[in-house]
Amino acid sequence: MSGTPYRPTIGLTTQTLHSIDGIPPALPESWVMNQRYFLATTMVGGVPWMIPLFDDDLPTLRQIYERLDGLLIPGGVDVDPRQYGEAILPECGNLDPSRDRVELQLVKWAIEDGKPVFGLCRGLQIINVVLGGTLWQDLAVQRPELAKHDYFPTAGYARQHLAHPVTLEPTSKLATLLDGPQTVMVNSMHHQGIKSLGEGLIATATAPDGLVEAIELPGEPFIIGVQWHPEVFEMTDPHTRHLFGGFIAAATRFAERARSASTLVGSAQEH
Ligand code: MN
């Protein structure tokens, strides 16, 4: 074991797959997630771990959480607006209440503990909601003056389609990790977006129309969310690779702190 660098365990949440015309069978439902998130995590040295949506078994969810060094919250369906105190509009998309409850709980625990969280698309929205922020349920209807952001594959757009630039906040962790120009092109597969920022969060990337495209908590805990899908570019773009690497480095630091703390507790108990 000595000489092998420690690889942090990164929990990735999943999404409920409901039956489509009875295939797969309606019961039991399945928990699924796009392979790209697992591969991107692995490429930078993380050990990805799938998290079941045990929203009605918090003791077990907590046991899973405590074995993780970081959380990656992937893209997915819309967050239930009732989670941020609003009624559901007709334009709000599909929901996954189990996923909402699990992700909101996990991210809350992680923020309390300073455990790194990397939120991608929906993941950014979850971080924002945990900290009391709100979302636009449908940008096209509620903010029609903004540019198009919903370049969905279901409408024929490639996931790597570079839809619009974002301007980075130069002093942010995000800009430091992307280590490149102040303005970068990103893909855009979202119809929702940040309405009001959660407590303590700062906007670290902004689209030309003013929409917040990335957020972070200042300070050491790596709590970063981006509205785009960087996992699409992690193989080809060294800046994006470096961003994922920064997340894994933060998870490694967290694991080292946790291990040295438990060693201290162990030696204290010996006396
Ligand atoms: Mn966008």
Side-chain angles (χ1 to χ4, degrees), residues 149 164 188 190 213:
H149 286 269
H164 62 74
S188 190
H190 59 107
E213 289 264 343

Side-chain angles (χ1 to χ4, degrees), residues 139 148-150 163-164 166 186-190 207 211 213 227-228:
L139 293 167
K148 176 179 174 67
H149 286 269
D150 54 343
H164 62 74
V166 294
V186 298
N187 51 0
S188 190
M189 292 178 265
H190 59 107
L211 190 68
E213 289 264 343
Q227 185 63 81
W228 64 95

